Amino acid sequence: MKDSSRPEAAVSRVGVIGIGVMGSRMAGNLLRAGHTVVVYNRSPKSVEKLVSEGAIDARSPEELARTCRIVILALTDSKAVESIVMGEKGLVHGLSPGSIILDTSTIDPGTAVRLAGTLREQGISFLDAPVSGGPEGAAAGTLTIMVGGDRDAFDRSQEVLSKVGKNIFYLGASGSGQRVKLFNQALVGVEYLGIAEAFLWAKKMGLKIEDLEKIIPISWGDSPVFRHFASVVSSGELKGGSSIKNLNKDLGIILQTAKQDGVQLSMAELARRYASRAVELGYEDLDASTLYRLLDKVRTPVS
Ligand SMILES: NC(=O)c1ccc[n+]([C@@H]2O[C@H](COP(=O)([O-])OP(=O)(O)OC[C@H]3O[C@@H](n4cnc5c(N)ncnc54)[C@H](OP(=O)(O)O)[C@@H]3O)[C@@H](O)[C@H]2O)c1
């Protein structure tokens, strides 16, 4: 392990795995709050900035796990979480009994329940702790966090969770945090699509984004999604935010979970069709606000 020359702080040590849009910001807040932060990312380049700010770089999840009793995950999907936790050099091989994994990724509730069950047998707590608030909330440390799993582990995680989020909710058994997050994402997906459609219309009417940015946040059409959309569109910064691939993935989990529950979500289905078309067209790494460009391009609704 490449340790930094920084003296060990007298505060708890936290591991962060998945140094993407969300994980990099969470790790930065933990560092600034005085924690010793150990980071791991599949593509090593992403950890360089955090290491220059004092983070310690681990070469594998297993290596990270040998020195941390609390580990935050901020990974794309279930497959990534599964491989980081249970894979060949996964966390499970290094964590000691009593350790806690806080999974802030948005994944399907079934995987969260299964991993929590498997790890419980080894004395390790796996909490589903998905977040909302976007890159802005992650940077400001004001994320909303929805937690499911062992109550005692949740209580022991409070100090760490409070450094990355502001509104932290314990919701009950494993998977219940993910279920509330999916509900939130169903609203977010439909909202992105509605905003994209209305924005294209606004352009045709000759309205200016600067005016909408001033007026909508003090009107009933306001939402954090609209404010994020407006800031992305007016800045022209279309990469590195709330990606279309993540929205597409979330909508996929939502539809699969709703199907298992015997429920049809027609609006979420429509949003999914646009999000997956955007991925097919190569927009996957762009911010979900870019869906308005797709709508403009295809002209007729995706059926
Ligand atoms: N961005 C948002 O606004 C937002 C808000 C709330 C929740 N979320 C959720 O938070 C999670 C992270 O989102 P993000 O925006 O930070 O995504 P991101 O920037 O794309 O980062 C994803 C991270 O997952 C890693 N990863 C992906 N597949 C992997 C695999 N098979 N094995 C190991 N590592 C893997 C990536 O590593 P590489 O660098 O090597 O690719 C990267 O570090 C997602 O579940 C997302 O749905 C995102």
Side-chain angles (χ1 to χ4, degrees):
M1 185 183 289
K2 284 177 268 163
D3 213 324
S4 73
S5 54
R6 182 171 167 265
E8 201 75 348
V11 292
S12 61
R13 201 172 166 105
V14 183
V16 182
I17 299 186
I19 307 301
V21 170
M22 301 299 278
S24 59
R25 289 163 171 81
M26 292 187 218
N29 283 332
L30 288 161
L31 268 178
R32 284 185 287 279
H35 284 277
T36 299
V37 179
V38 187
V39 290
Y40 170 79
N41 196 62
R42 179 180 61 176
S43 324
K45 208 163 167 36
S46 307
V47 305
E48 284 173 6
K49 182 165 178 290
L50 283 163
V51 169
S52 75
E53 290 166 4
I56 299 165
D57 182 10
R59 292 199 188 94
S60 70
E62 180 180 0
E63 187 180 275
L64 177 147
R66 295 203 184 286
T67 66
C68 297
R69 286 176 65 80
I70 186 152
V71 182
I72 293 180
L73 307 183
L75 299 161
T76 304
D77 54 17
S78 305
K79 201 172 130 218
V81 171
E82 188 97 44
S83 86
I84 289 291
V85 176
M86 304 302 293
E88 202 188 331
K89 290 194 170 174
L91 287 172
V92 70
H93 306 296
L95 287 175
S96 50
S99 302
I100 301 169
I101 300 172
L102 298 167
D103 182 21
T104 68
S105 328
T106 305
I107 65 168
D108 70 287
T111 301
V113 171
R114 188 167 41 74
L115 284 174
T118 306
L119 292 162
R120 195 176 300 122
E121 288 166 19
Q122 306 199 28
I124 299 165
S125 299
F126 179 95
L127 302 184
D128 45 305
V131 296
S132 186
E136 295 91 342
T142 57
L143 292 167
T144 296
I145 313 181
M146 301 152 240
V147 185
D150 178 54
R151 174 79 214 206
D152 174 62
F154 170 73
D155 292 339
R156 288 188 285 125
S157 309
Q158 283 287 347
E159 192 204 341
V160 168
L161 288 174
S162 69
K163 306 288 171 42
V164 296
K166 188 169 149 210
N167 298 300
I168 303 161
F169 296 90
Y170 178 74
L171 293 152
S174 284
S176 48
Q178 293 295 354
R179 285 191 172 272
V180 175
K181 170 70 181 177
L182 294 184
F183 178 89
N184 183 69
Q185 290 312 93
L187 305 185
V188 169
V190 171
E191 242 180 281
Y192 265 124
L193 197 61
I195 292 167
E197 186 180 74
F199 180 64
L200 281 177
W201 180 42
K203 284 198 352 174
K204 290 210 162 59
M205 288 194 289
L207 304 184
K208 293 194 194 103
I209 185 71
E210 308 90 83
D211 290 335
L212 298 175
E213 223 173 353
K214 269 185 249 152
I215 296 163
I216 303 307
I218 47 168
S219 302
W220 265 36
D222 183 35
S223 69
V225 180
F226 174 79
R227 277 175 262 145
H228 175 77
F229 174 91
S231 76
V232 168
V233 171
S234 55
S235 71
E237 193 54 65
L238 303 178
K239 271 199 159 183
S242 199
S243 69
I244 288 184
K245 72 171 179 247
N246 278 341
L247 182 68
N248 184 46
K249 176 259 305 179
D250 291 355
L251 286 163
I253 302 169
I254 287 163
L255 294 176
Q256 185 201 5
T257 309
K259 194 172 169 196
Q260 286 159 6
D261 294 338
V263 172
Q264 189 181 359
L265 300 174
S266 320
M267 296 295 156
E269 272 172 19
L270 189 59
R272 173 90 207 280
R273 273 184 240 143
Y274 279 101
S276 59
R277 176 68 70 88
V279 169
E280 277 162 31
L281 291 174
Y283 287 66
E284 66 266 29
D285 290 323
L286 299 186
D287 192 278
S289 307
T290 327
L291 277 177
Y292 83 88
R293 290 192 169 186
L294 173 77
L295 282 178
D296 203 17
K297 198 172 174 137
V298 295
R299 284 166 202 260
T300 50
V302 180
S303 57

